[in-house]
Amino acid sequence: MNLTKKSFIKGQWQTTQGQAFSSHNPVSNEPITQFLSATEVDASGAVAGAKASFAAYKSLSGQQRALFLEQIALEIENLGDDLLNTANDETGLGLVRLTGERGRTCNQIRAFANMLKDGFWVRASIDTSDAQRTPPKPDLRRMLRPIGPVLVFPASNFPLAFGVLGGDTASALAAGNPVIIKAHPAHPATSELCMLAAERALKKCGIDSKTISMLQGSTLTLAQSLVVNEAIQAIGFTGSLTAGRSIMDLAATRAIPIPVYAEMGSTNPVFITPDALQARGNEIANGLAGSIAMGTGQFCTSPGVIVTLESDAFKSDLIAAINEANQGYLLHPSIASGLQSSINSLVNNAAVEVLAGGVLDNNSLKTPNSLLATSAQAFLNDDDLHSEAFGPVSLLVTCQNIEELLMVANAIHGNLTATIQCQDNDDLAKPLADILESHVGRLIVNGFPTGVEVCASQQHSGPYPACSSPATTSVGSDAISRFARFIAYQDLPQALLPLELQDDNSLQILRQVNNQYHRDAC
Amino acid sequence: MNLTKKSFIKGQWQTTQGQAFSSHNPVSNEPITQFLSATEVDASGAVAGAKASFAAYKSLSGQQRALFLEQIALEIENLGDDLLNTANDETGLGLVRLTGERGRTCNQIRAFANMLKDGFWVRASIDTSDAQRTPPKPDLRRMLRPIGPVLVFPASNFPLAFGVLGGDTASALAAGNPVIIKAHPAHPATSELCMLAAERALKKCGIDSKTISMLQGSTLTLAQSLVVNEAIQAIGFTGSLTAGRSIMDLAATRAIPIPVYAEMGSTNPVFITPDALQARGNEIANGLAGSIAMGTGQFCTSPGVIVTLESDAFKSDLIAAINEANQGYLLHPSIASGLQSSINSLVNNAAVEVLAGGVLDNNSLKTPNSLLATSAQAFLNDDDLHSEAFGPVSLLVTCQNIEELLMVANAIHGNLTATIQCQDNDDLAKPLADILESHVGRLIVNGFPTGVEVCASQQHSGPYPACSSPATTSVGSDAISRFARFIAYQDLPQALLPLELQDDNSLQILRQVNNQYHRDAC
């Protein structure tokens, strides 16, 4: 397979002159291919191209954008094994997982296409005029409209589903916005292939190829120059708390601040009631170990904290399950060093005991699963124990009694998820649910947090530090609304209104008309 | 009428010990009553009270919260003429306007009550499980839930509709959140009366009186201590760009940043096409003068910029209309000094000509209406000419030709509204609409921007600097969603789910179930 090793800027594959960086094979633990970062000049060109393409792209109908998204999904599939093998070389995630992830990626793109065809997502609302009222009531109509160029920072851990054509890009394009993608430096070849698929879709659909740009790069200055570019209207980010917060802070200093939708750190605590521990302790231990080891622990929703009462049986079951669980590869040496640093900080804490793992291999990215333990009192008194360790490691927090368990529930930071393992008619289920929902985006009962279903009812978000914007979601249908804003039209003639708001409702979409929901004309 | 001159903190009227400030009668231009600011200790107590009341308040059903809101509206009405006279003393807005504003205030509270009874606003969504799928599909259900204590900064210019019980407070309470209100120092007695109405409603409905606190105050330290209080989950603000941006910036520095919904500066440009100018120039001039003078120009949506081609007839019509328009009182000496400073900055600009007014009376808050003029080229080259002058003043921007008019349309900053005055089948209407919608929250054709209808299709927002959060609205039904966030519930037993998400749909609300909208059980 021939790689251009270029960035896609203003509709052209362009050679860039920034700092060199290499992709890396986690299994062999060796570099693969050298790429050159895009420069600030490249970034500026990409954004200018996006800005210039906005008027034409936003004028496409929902149906036209739906066909474009479907073409993108098809072009991703048309990349065939090249895409899977390339992504596997760059991530070590394995072909089974990557095949599944490709399916999810294409499914979520097609789900947005279906939303565009359905049309409800624009939340069209009409209040008709009343000339007899004093004062006369105007005709007001409102819907979500595109916002302009969106900047996307893909994640390291999902090279496809949160990659160049992942959920952020798909939802921003679906909403009618040009997109500038700063590709993740851990998988530049995968990124190039995805951009190639997007370029083919742009051409086949006759859409201005400046609508999507993809910049290769590993430098902070590139990222920063994009964040402060005044034409950028919103930012989607998935990654670490440190990087996410720095983007939030920088965006807040802009002359015109913009929303940053950053999905960041989460420990996804799992609370096990005494009844569940007694009835299903062994089964829960095995489930937890599988969830912790999944994707080598490199899921935003990996269960990093387990909270129970004291139980030697459960502890030994969990140690055994963790030791037996599959060992995978970390994605990149930078993730290995971050994980080692997080584990060291825990292991060097006097209140923490190592039950399994705890030491990484310096010469390999193959990684043991780790289980550490601490007391509820230590957890309550030391914020450091709440930090995410990104990788296959979990902290068992043992409580003396129910009161302590509820105190721990009250003390957890903002998280993507919390899980309750409980029995039927378990007295502790409701108090735990009442407390935990205030801290999370998704509350799970008797499941495990890994595995994020893509559907209308998904909420992949949560109070800070899990996310910068807890009210929005980065997975599921509603991800699209992050990249749109409402506009109201007062007394506009029919011909000046978007199709979705015209009287005849030719698109047959579900609309709110004078506070009633229906698909009728008005 | 006896005033306590206290703040309402943790369910008690408390004497505070902060800096003294006086209410002011704009008509007599004399101080009325001295109040003492709340201190940072008072602020901390109010927030602690709100935090303590959250669990109980959020557990109320939508129906219960609706009854509470209706009781608040009734208690406002029960204040009778005392409220209107007090507000008139403190604002000089006149009893007719204030009677109308009271009606609007109660209507918007009742509109939120109706939304709570209807239940759709929570956007309940259900995706049922599929155990046969590989991997098994979980049951996921999602809805908007309350977020916790909300901080509200009411506006100077609407003592009731954006006051202590105005739209921000009403929408935050409707969504299920306790509220801390930092009353505007321009109308402390009006604020006390409103809090009294709220206290009566709290008691009659058996709701913890710590749920609403109202702090009197004029100090920056009080405001700042509230913004950084870690229990505050969101902020609603209406006021100047300077104050709003400082709140945004301070909130962004918090350990846990929170959303700031700030409605700030707007010049609400009105574009008049050549055809409209020729056909209806005189009528438009009269309409504009009325809109500029309305509320002594102290509306967020006051038309501060008028854009046309050169026309001596229109200019003299507009000067005459401005000179004949009603003269009212500015709300407060601080607003007068702000307006004088804004006008001075314009008048001292070599590119600006004074057509009417331009000088305020130092001894009176009664204020002439001002009309200034400049060229399109000057407007395009000088950002200072885009700044809002809060008061009855407008800047006529004269263009040499259509191209310049469209350039001005492209150059306007973020605004709450833009208006197009055009004729039927006017060639310029569509190009103007296409450009202007990118800059505003509401686009108006052949109307005037003042007068903000409260309904589902209203959007009172716009790109920065009009608002901090262009995707949300501070007027209309959707204002409620600012103060809620989505939570997803995965595989929860029925008894642990909120009523809105339970299978039987006992509330009969419109829900999205497996991507279909209906009111059926599932």
Side-chain angles (χ1 to χ4, degrees), chain B residues 308-355:
Chain B
T308 69
L309 298 200
E310 183 89 50
S311 161
D312 288 340
F314 176 73
K315 192 192 281 190
S316 49
D317 285 351
L318 188 57
I319 292 169
I322 291 273
N323 283 328
E324 282 162 29
N326 182 53
Q327 290 191 18
Y329 294 87
L330 292 175
L331 291 156
H332 196 267
S334 64
I335 288 182
S337 66
L339 177 60
Q340 186 64 70
S341 156
S342 297
I343 289 181
N344 287 348
S345 152
L346 288 166
V347 168
N348 293 332
N349 190 312
V352 172
E353 180 191 0
V354 179
L355 300 182

Side-chain angles (χ1 to χ4, degrees), chain B residues 265-272 288 300-308 379 385-386 394-395 397 405 408-421 432 436 439-445 447-449 466:
Chain B
S266 190
T267 60
N268 307 292
V270 176
F271 289 78
I272 310 172
L288 276 170
C300 326
T301 54
S302 190
V305 168
I306 301 161
V307 188
T308 69
F379 190 77
L385 297 178
H386 294 245
S394 198
L395 179 66
V397 178
L405 190 115
V408 170
N410 268 308
I412 64 164
H413 295 183
N415 269 286
L416 292 170
T417 71
T419 300
I420 302 169
Q421 289 284 349
L432 272 176
L436 291 173
H439 301 271
V440 303
R442 176 165 54 113
L443 184 65
I444 300 152
V445 167
F448 296 97

Side-chain angles (χ1 to χ4, degrees), chain A residues 139-447:
Chain A
D139 180 282
L140 272 165
R141 303 178 184 222
R142 176 182 188 253
M143 66 179 282
L144 284 169
R145 296 282 287 155
I147 54 174
V150 170
L151 171 61
V152 172
F153 290 101
S156 63
N157 58 344
F158 282 85
L160 304 176
F162 284 89
V164 163
L165 298 177
D168 283 346
T169 299
S171 52
L173 288 173
N177 308 293
V179 177
I180 299 96
I181 304 137
K182 209 293 283 172
H184 198 285
H187 24 71
T190 306
S191 297
E192 178 175 324
L193 288 179
C194 289
M195 186 62 236
L196 197 62
E199 184 194 10
R200 289 172 182 155
L202 285 163
K203 287 197 173 138
K204 285 195 182 151
C205 297
I207 295 172
D208 184 349
S209 56
K210 298 194 294 298
T211 307
I212 308 178
S213 281
M214 186 277 296
L215 301 164
Q216 298 284 11
S218 65
T219 66
L220 194 60
T221 49
L222 171 63
Q224 288 172 334
S225 77
L226 287 163
V227 170
V228 300
N229 187 303
E230 64 179 14
I232 297 290
Q233 299 299 314
I235 299 173
F237 167 87
T238 307
S240 72
L241 176 57
T242 307
R245 180 69 192 244
S246 72
I247 291 172
M248 291 170 65
D249 289 346
L250 187 58
T253 67
R254 291 168 51 116
I256 297 183
I258 52 172
V260 175
Y261 302 107
E263 195 256 90
M264 306 178 290
S266 189
T267 59
N268 306 294
V270 176
F271 290 78
I272 310 172
T273 68
D275 288 359
L277 200 65
Q278 171 138 26
R280 299 184 288 114
N282 182 265
E283 172 198 330
I284 294 169
N286 288 325
L288 276 170
S291 185
I292 291 164
M294 194 178 283
T296 322
Q298 298 162 117
F299 282 172
C300 326
T301 54
S302 190
V305 168
I306 302 161
V307 189
T308 69
L309 298 198
E310 182 87 51
S311 161
D312 287 341
F314 176 72
K315 192 193 282 188
S316 49
D317 284 352
L318 189 57
I319 293 170
I322 291 274
N323 283 329
E324 282 162 28
N326 181 53
Q327 290 190 19
Y329 294 88
L330 293 174
L331 291 155
H332 197 266
S334 64
I335 288 182
S337 66
L339 176 61
Q340 185 66 70
S341 158
S342 297
I343 289 181
N344 287 348
S345 153
L346 288 166
V347 167
N348 293 332
N349 189 312
V352 172
E353 179 191 1
V354 179
L355 301 183
V359 180
L360 306 191
D361 181 344
N362 280 334
N363 300 313
S364 166
L365 293 177
K366 188 159 185 179
T367 300
N369 303 304
S370 296
L371 182 66
L372 310 173
T374 194
S375 69
Q377 281 308 316
F379 190 77
L380 290 168
N381 292 325
D382 187 351
D383 260 5
D384 289 346
L385 297 178
H386 294 246
S387 298
E388 181 186 21
F390 190 70
V393 49
S394 197
L395 179 66
L396 177 63
V397 178
T398 303
C399 306
Q400 298 291 324
N401 49 46
I402 300 292
E403 290 64 37
E404 257 191 10
L405 189 115
L406 293 173
M407 284 168 70
V408 169
N410 267 308
I412 65 163
H413 295 182
N415 269 286
L416 292 170
T417 72
T419 300
I420 302 170
Q421 289 284 349
C422 59
Q423 297 300 101
D424 289 349
N425 304 313
D426 196 318
D427 286 345
L428 210 48
K430 174 121 178 71
L432 271 176
D434 284 348
I435 295 168
L436 291 173
E437 75 158 19
S438 289
H439 301 272
V440 303
R442 177 165 53 113
L443 184 66
I444 300 152
V445 168
N446 292 340

Side-chain angles (χ1 to χ4, degrees), chain B residues 480-512:
Chain B
I480 193 174
S481 59
R482 296 174 299 166
F483 301 120
R485 69 177 175 90
F486 283 104
I487 299 181
Y489 302 91
Q490 181 170 322
D491 291 330
L492 258 64
Q494 291 291 308
L496 291 186
L497 284 168
L499 266 185
E500 291 87 341
L501 295 178
Q502 292 181 11
D503 282 348
D504 60 1
N505 196 17
S506 60
L507 300 173
Q508 301 247 287
I509 62 179
L510 181 62
R511 309 189 293 189
Q512 184 180 21

Side-chain angles (χ1 to χ4, degrees), chain A residues 54 58 120 123 125-127 133 137-138 140-142 145 245 248-249 252-257 429-430 433-434 437-445 448 451 453 455-459 462-464 470-471 473 478 484-493 495-496 510 512 515 517, chain B residues 54 58 120 123 125-127 133 137-138 140-142 145 245 248-249 252-257 429-430 433-434 437-445 448 451 453 455-459 462-464 470-471 473 478 484-493 495-496 510 512 515 517:
Chain A
F54 179 43
K58 88 165 172 173
F120 179 78
R123 295 175 63 197
S125 166
I126 297 174
D127 286 277
R133 201 193 63 175
K137 184 179 171 196
L140 272 165
R141 303 178 184 222
R142 176 182 188 253
R145 296 282 287 155
R245 180 69 192 244
M248 291 170 65
D249 289 346
T253 67
R254 291 168 51 116
I256 297 183
K430 174 121 178 71
D434 284 348
E437 75 158 19
S438 289
H439 301 272
V440 303
R442 177 165 53 113
L443 184 66
I444 300 152
V445 168
F448 297 96
E453 185 70 22
C455 63
S457 306
Q458 186 55 271
Q459 179 67 7
Y464 187 93
T473 182
D478 202 23
R485 70 178 175 89
F486 284 104
I487 299 181
Y489 301 92
Q490 182 171 323
D491 291 331
L492 257 63
L496 291 186
L510 182 62
Q512 184 180 20
N515 294 314
Y517 281 86
Chain B
F54 179 43
K58 87 165 173 173
F120 180 78
R123 295 175 64 197
S125 166
I126 297 174
D127 287 277
R133 202 193 64 174
K137 185 180 172 197
L140 270 166
R141 303 177 186 223
R142 176 182 188 253
R145 297 283 287 158
R245 180 69 192 244
M248 290 170 65
D249 288 346
T253 67
R254 291 168 51 116
I256 298 183
K430 173 124 178 69
D434 283 347
E437 75 158 20
S438 289
H439 301 271
V440 303
R442 176 165 54 113
L443 184 65
I444 300 152
V445 167
F448 296 97
E453 185 69 24
C455 63
S457 306
Q458 186 55 271
Q459 179 68 7
Y464 186 93
T473 181
D478 202 22
R485 69 177 175 90
F486 283 104
I487 299 181
Y489 302 91
Q490 181 170 322
D491 291 330
L492 258 64
L496 291 186
L510 181 62
Q512 184 180 21
N515 293 316
Y517 280 86

